[in-house]
């Protein structure tokens, strides 16, 4: 089957989206011909059944960049024949649906929920426009993939979509290193780690203050792809809190390199905030799976999307969302129970064994493509003439 996989994300990159996309295609390309079109400047080397077309769009304005990406996708589809389109956002989704080719809409997040955290002054009319695009894609896609049951509920409740049309494909994991040796924690402090972006809903900038009175016992290394304004703002906050030596910012690393580094830490942090993005829309944090594979106890907010992977007292400690005092006291509890960390690490590794590998994820996705053939043959071919939002 000829597949176009298109996403308004930069690939390759250190962000979870790129990990998800490439991990999800590793086995698909053995049975399907895949054209991958993303943002980016570095093409992934072509292989049998696989071609990557990175679109370099230097436009800094998010909305103008999205419109240019949409135009490029439409131009590509005008001259290339494919049997199936797999897309991840309305930017590429609208021209995909308009092409009349059967489509899978993979919903990891929707702009109508997430954009307001980046652009607080965004008018409701713009969010309503995105909701219209999202509904258009949801209603006309032959199937949807989501990373969590929470995201499935969001789609069913928000767009009144048939639940049978939405399939849950949780994120997957890399290989677990069989070496299970960890250095003993120094009695003087515990070493924590955070991997990921500084997006407002991630909660790291909010949670930094909880370390203020624990600076004599805790350190935290932050590996983030964030840059420019967001990174400088976070650095200034750490300086104001007097934590610049306890919470240290590092550039993002490929997980292939970071995996060994993770073994020198005592715990990991996932302080997701109680926001519509995390509680209404839902997510499946790849960082949490990486922590489990490294045997790292996770200090995380007590949200459904975290409870799916973390059992309080067994593979981590959960604190009350959006309450700094709860995060602070949970870190205190971690310090008091630090002698039990080796047992928690083993529980994390056992939990990780139950998570899909990317190869398993990708084989399931490949089978899913094949199973859609009957639905594709019944898909209306006049979709291109349907009313398309501007």
């Amino acid at each position: 089957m000829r597949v176009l996989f298109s996403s308004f994300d930069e690939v390759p990159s250190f962000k979870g989206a790129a990990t998800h996309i490439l991990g999800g295609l590793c086995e698909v390309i053995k049975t399907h011909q895949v054209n991958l079109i993303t943002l980016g400047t570095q093409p992934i080397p072509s292989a049998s059944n696989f071609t990557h077309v990175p679109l370099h769009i230097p436009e800094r304005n998010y909305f103008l960049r999205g419109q240019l990406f949409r135009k490029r996708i439409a131009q590509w589809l005008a001259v290339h024949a494919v049997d199936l389109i797999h897309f991840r956002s309305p930017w590429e989704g609208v021209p995909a649906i308009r092409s009349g080719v059967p489509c899978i809409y993979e919903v990891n997040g929707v702009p109508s929920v997430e954009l307001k955290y980046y652009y607080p002054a965004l008018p409701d009319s713009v969010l309503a426009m995105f909701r219209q695009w999202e509904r258009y894609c949801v209603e006309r896609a032959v199937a949807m993939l989501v990373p969590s049951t929470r995201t499935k509920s969001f789609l069913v409740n928000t767009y009144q979509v048939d639940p049978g049309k939405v399939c849950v494909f949780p994120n997957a994991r890399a290989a677990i290193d069989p070496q299970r040796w960890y250095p003993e924690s120094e009695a003087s402090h515990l070493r924590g780690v955070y991997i990921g972006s500084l997006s407002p809903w991630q909660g790291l900038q909010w949670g930094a203050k909880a370390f203020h009175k624990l600076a004599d016992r805790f350190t935290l290394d932050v590996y983030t792809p964030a840059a420019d304004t967001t990174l400088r703002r976070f650095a200034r906050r750490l300086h104001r809190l007097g934590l610049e030596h306890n919470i240290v910012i590092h550039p993002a690393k490929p997980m292939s390199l970071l995996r060994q580094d993770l073994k020198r830490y005592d715990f990991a942090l996932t302080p997701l905030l109680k926001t519509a993005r995390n509680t209404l829309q839902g997510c499946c944090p790849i960082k949490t799976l990486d922590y489990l594979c490294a045997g790292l106890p996770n200090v995380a907010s007590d949200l459904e999307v975290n409870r799916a992977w973390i059992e309080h007292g067994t593979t981590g400690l959960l604190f009350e969302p959006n309450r700094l005092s709860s995060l602070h006291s949970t870190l205190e509890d971690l310090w008091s129970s630090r002698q039990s960390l080796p047992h928690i690490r083993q529980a994390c590794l056992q939990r990780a064994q139950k998570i899909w590998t990317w190869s398993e994820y990708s084989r399931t996705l490949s089978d899913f493509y094949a199973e859609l053939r009957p639905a594709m043959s019944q898909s209306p071919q006049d979709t291109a003439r349907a009313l398309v939002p501007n």
Side-chain angles (χ1 to χ4, degrees):
M1 187 186 302
R2 299 166 299 176
V3 179
L4 168 62
F5 193 118
S6 180
S7 181
F8 187 59
D9 293 288
E10 184 177 352
V11 176
S13 79
F14 296 116
K15 292 186 176 181
T19 300
H20 177 103
I21 292 167
L22 296 178
L25 291 176
C26 66
E27 297 289 332
V28 169
I29 61 176
K30 295 179 180 179
T31 51
H32 302 283
Q33 180 182 330
V34 178
N35 288 282
L36 174 64
I37 303 181
T38 66
L39 292 173
T41 58
Q42 300 176 348
I44 297 169
S46 297
S48 177
N49 285 346
F50 176 78
T51 302
H52 178 216
V53 181
L55 301 181
H56 178 47
I57 303 177
E59 171 60 56
R60 295 179 64 86
N61 181 280
Y62 169 82
F63 300 95
L64 295 178
R65 188 166 67 252
Q67 291 169 12
L68 291 170
F69 187 76
R70 174 176 290 180
K71 181 178 179 181
R72 297 285 293 276
I73 294 296
Q75 290 171 340
W76 191 93
L77 284 169
V79 296
H80 294 83
V82 293
D83 304 304
L84 177 69
I85 302 174
H86 183 154
F87 65 86
R88 287 169 46 99
S89 86
W91 285 121
E92 69 273 12
V94 168
I97 296 289
R98 183 173 6 199
S99 72
V101 176
C103 294
I104 296 173
Y105 184 9
E106 182 183 326
V107 185
N108 291 277
V110 292
S112 64
V113 170
E114 296 188 351
L115 283 180
K116 60 186 177 183
Y117 297 104
Y118 290 112
Y119 309 102
L122 204 63
D124 289 341
S125 59
V126 175
L127 297 177
M129 176 187 67
F130 276 103
R131 280 192 294 272
Q132 184 185 15
W133 291 347
E134 292 156 11
R135 183 176 296 279
Y136 174 78
C137 293
V138 163
E139 290 176 347
R140 291 163 176 80
V142 297
M144 280 162 284
L145 301 181
V146 296
S148 70
T149 54
R150 166 49 48 198
T151 308
K152 178 174 181 175
S153 297
F154 166 74
L155 290 180
V156 171
N157 296 331
T158 303
Y159 304 106
Q160 294 75 53
V161 63
D162 178 2
K165 192 176 173 180
V166 187
C167 300
V168 178
F169 274 54
N171 279 323
R173 62 167 175 85
I176 299 173
D177 192 329
Q179 180 186 358
R180 297 189 179 186
W181 177 84
Y182 299 85
E184 291 296 328
S185 301
E186 296 180 15
S188 60
H189 70 282
L190 292 178
R191 296 152 297 189
V193 64
Y194 172 89
I195 307 170
S197 75
L198 299 180
S199 298
W201 56 75
Q202 295 286 0
L204 182 64
Q205 299 181 72
W206 162 85
K209 190 174 182 180
F211 288 83
H212 181 62
K213 294 182 180 179
L214 301 169
D216 59 330
R217 286 171 283 169
F218 287 86
T219 61
L220 182 71
D221 284 345
V222 176
Y223 294 90
T224 179
D228 303 331
T229 304
T230 303
L231 198 61
R232 290 194 296 269
R233 186 183 301 120
F234 184 45
R236 288 196 297 268
R237 176 169 176 75
L238 295 179
H239 180 73
R240 288 196 301 270
L241 293 170
L243 290 171
E244 64 267 36
H245 300 299
N246 293 83
I247 300 180
V248 181
I249 304 171
H250 304 273
K253 282 185 178 183
M255 186 50 63
S256 58
L257 299 178
L258 189 56
R259 193 169 295 116
Q260 288 301 315
D261 292 344
L262 290 179
K263 294 200 168 200
R264 61 190 176 91
Y265 294 104
D266 300 300
F267 72 97
L269 188 66
T270 309
L272 294 175
L273 292 176
K274 189 176 182 180
T275 63
R277 188 268 183 184
N278 293 328
T279 61
L280 178 64
Q281 173 189 275
C283 60
C284 179
I286 289 180
K287 67 168 68 65
T288 299
L289 310 189
D290 290 331
Y291 296 156
L292 288 170
C293 290
L296 282 176
N298 199 336
V299 175
S301 49
D302 190 5
L303 297 176
E304 177 184 345
V305 294
N306 282 331
R307 289 194 302 272
W309 305 101
I310 304 164
E311 182 179 354
H312 182 72
T314 302
T315 54
L317 296 175
L318 299 173
F319 64 89
E320 186 175 345
N322 295 37
R323 280 196 62 191
L324 279 171
S325 59
S326 180
L327 173 54
H328 181 275
S329 62
T330 301
L331 290 169
E332 291 272 21
D333 291 342
L334 181 67
W335 173 260
S336 300
S337 61
R338 61 191 182 280
Q339 299 303 319
S340 65
L341 285 177
H343 300 290
I344 299 178
R345 287 173 179 145
Q346 293 304 314
C348 290
L349 291 169
Q350 291 172 7
R351 177 66 179 91
Q353 293 286 354
K354 300 177 182 179
I355 301 171
W356 269 354
T357 65
W358 282 117
S359 291
E360 291 168 334
Y361 178 105
S362 189
R363 283 195 294 271
T364 306
L365 180 60
S366 181
D367 293 343
F368 185 72
Y369 286 172
E371 291 167 4
L372 280 179
R373 280 190 180 276
M376 290 163 54
S377 63
Q378 298 169 13
S379 180
Q381 296 303 307
D382 61 348
T383 309
R385 295 192 291 275
L387 179 63
V388 181
N390 294 321

